[in-house]
Amino acid sequence: GAVVSQHPSRVICKSGTSVKIECRSLDFQATTMFWYRQFPKQSLMLMATSNEGSKATYEQGVEKDKFLINHASLTLSTLTVTSAHPEDSSFYICSARKPGLAPGELFFGEGSRLTVL
Amino acid sequence: EDKVVQSPLSLVVHEGDTVTLNCSYEVTNFRSLLWYKQEKKAPTFLFMLTSSGIEKKSGRLSSILDKKELFSILNITATQTGDSAVYLCAVVLVWGAQKLVFGQGTRLTINP
């Protein structure tokens, strides 16, 4: 089966620093990856759609200068939380669609738990 | 505003019981409805439903979609402790290139 790998799984940083989270599709090429945020006991909220070779598409209310997304290759998308603050602490999950499968049959990464002190 | 609502938010039952989880939606451009199981980290795909009235089945799990009444149910029979998880319902929108809108999830706990 397809595997999506996310790294790091857990990161703690100081307020004001930037943190980069990587999402890799290990055995398929993904032209599109998605980034979600999940608060405790809440559902996944789509933050942005990452498109290989072009700019990401952000959902309403998500600051693109705060959450920088880069999809430089067909197997890697990165999310950088810039100048992180405690309110950015959350669980961030990426997903990717394997070409040939139906929309929605996404493979999710294991998530990255960010804690900003 | 596109909306997906799940109920109940939380459910505790005994092993062997049968449970029904509900998902209703109100979206502008429906394409399909998905069910995922989230145990600790990444959600895992269970079902995708596109047509009304056609039951999808996988072992003790089954699901059906009603596009007229805009809802879906997920049934789990003969529950086991390993079924304990958060079950997420999501709707795929036509506009937005496979954009998913998730419900809040139902936290299911199966007690031995």
Side-chain angles (χ1 to χ4, degrees):
Chain A
V3 177
V4 174
S5 168
Q6 223 177 302
H7 179 80
S9 58
R10 191 178 290 269
V11 57
I12 300 172
C13 70
K14 289 183 180 177
S15 192
T17 59
S18 294
V19 174
K20 183 188 280 189
I21 301 169
E22 293 185 347
C23 179
R24 290 180 189 274
S25 55
L26 296 185
D27 58 355
F28 65 97
Q29 294 183 329
T31 53
T32 305
M33 291 183 174
F34 303 91
W35 286 95
Y36 300 85
R37 185 172 180 175
Q38 187 175 35
F39 290 105
K41 297 188 179 178
Q42 292 189 31
S43 193
L44 282 76
M45 254 184 43
L46 179 66
M47 297 174 66
T49 303
S50 171
N51 305 299
E52 188 268 333
S54 64
K55 288 183 181 177
T57 306
Y58 290 82
E59 294 301 303
Q60 195 172 7
V62 177
E63 298 175 60
K64 60 181 180 183
D65 295 329
K66 172 81 173 169
F67 299 100
L68 297 178
I69 290 172
N70 186 283
H71 195 150
S73 79
L74 285 169
T75 57
L76 174 64
S77 174
T78 60
L79 168 69
T80 301
V81 183
T82 61
S83 187
H85 290 286
E87 58 265 29
D88 298 325
S89 298
S90 190
F91 193 55
Y92 294 87
I93 306 182
C94 71
S95 70
R97 188 173 82 87
K98 187 174 182 180
L101 294 184
E105 284 200 63
L106 298 171
F107 294 92
F108 285 83
E110 296 236 316
S112 301
R113 186 163 300 284
L114 170 64
T115 303
V116 184
L117 302 175
Chain B
E1 186 190 340
D2 298 314
K3 203 163 55 173
V4 177
V5 177
Q6 288 183 249
S7 65
L9 293 181
S10 180
L11 185 58
V12 181
V13 300
H14 289 292
E15 206 167 16
D17 288 351
T18 292
V19 297
T20 298
L21 309 184
N22 303 293
C23 175
S24 64
Y25 60 91
E26 203 176 305
V27 301
T28 47
N29 286 293
F30 176 90
R31 187 164 186 178
S32 56
L33 185 143
L34 302 143
W35 284 97
Y36 291 90
K37 179 182 182 182
Q38 186 177 25
E39 293 181 79
K40 285 184 181 174
K41 294 181 178 178
T44 52
F45 173 81
L46 294 175
F47 296 113
M48 184 174 76
L49 303 151
T50 308
S51 303
S52 254
I54 299 173
E55 187 184 50
K56 293 264 180 119
K57 216 167 155 57
S58 176
R60 295 176 294 103
L61 277 67
S62 63
S63 184
I64 198 160
L65 173 67
D66 185 329
K67 287 167 78 172
K68 187 178 172 189
E69 300 297 330
L70 308 182
F71 78 92
S72 172
I73 59 170
L74 174 69
N75 273 326
I76 309 175
T77 58
T79 51
Q80 301 170 359
T81 53
D83 295 327
S84 296
V86 174
Y87 289 83
L88 297 169
C89 167
V91 169
V92 183
L93 303 182
V94 173
W95 183 85
Q98 302 113 45
K99 174 181 171 178
L100 264 65
V101 178
F102 281 86
Q104 324 93 298
T106 293
R107 183 172 296 276
L108 176 63
T109 304
I110 311 295
N111 288 328

